Amino acid sequence: MGDFNLNLQTAEEHLDEDDAEGDVVLGVLDGSTPPEEWVQSVARGNVLFLAIEGDLNKLASGFARDIKDMDGQLMHFRKFLVVSPPGVDINTDDL
């Protein structure tokens, strides 16, 4: 192998400044959490991974439009609802 110069101490300078912020929030979508709490969590940059317990359409109706209006995404995957904030795409290529 040939020699190459790699300076890891300065590599940080070349990283994108758009680091992801927020957490992955695990929860249960059963109607016990007010829709506004889900919207606020996503607005803060969190990704929601919610176990669905009941009728998804009924349970998500209180916040789905707000998420879409802020350019977030919602994806029903198996028995879960994944909700991402603007700028965080849900990649379904491998499904």
Side-chain angles (χ1 to χ4, degrees), residues 29-50:
L29 184 59
D30 61 1
S32 64
T33 302
E36 300 80 27
E37 284 188 34
W38 298 130
V39 173
Q40 290 170 359
S41 184
V42 172
R44 288 191 302 269
N46 295 322
V47 173
L48 307 179
F49 194 77
L50 306 174

Side-chain angles (χ1 to χ4, degrees), residues 3-80:
D3 291 332
F4 59 93
N5 291 328
L6 179 61
N7 185 347
L8 295 177
Q9 292 177 344
T10 61
E12 234 177 73
E13 296 172 15
H14 301 286
L15 295 175
D16 292 336
E17 296 296 321
D18 296 332
D19 291 334
E21 293 185 23
D23 297 314
V24 175
V25 176
L26 304 179
V28 178
L29 184 59
D30 61 1
S32 64
T33 302
E36 300 80 27
E37 284 188 34
W38 298 130
V39 173
Q40 290 170 359
S41 184
V42 172
R44 288 191 302 269
N46 295 322
V47 173
L48 307 179
F49 194 77
L50 306 174
I52 302 165
E53 291 189 0
D55 182 318
L56 173 59
N57 291 329
K58 184 176 180 180
L59 293 169
S61 66
F63 64 90
R65 175 60 46 209
D66 293 332
I67 299 296
K68 288 190 172 277
D69 287 348
M70 71 169 71
D71 292 325
Q73 293 185 340
L74 297 99
M75 173 66 58
H76 182 200
F77 178 66
R78 299 195 180 202
K79 294 182 181 183
F80 299 93

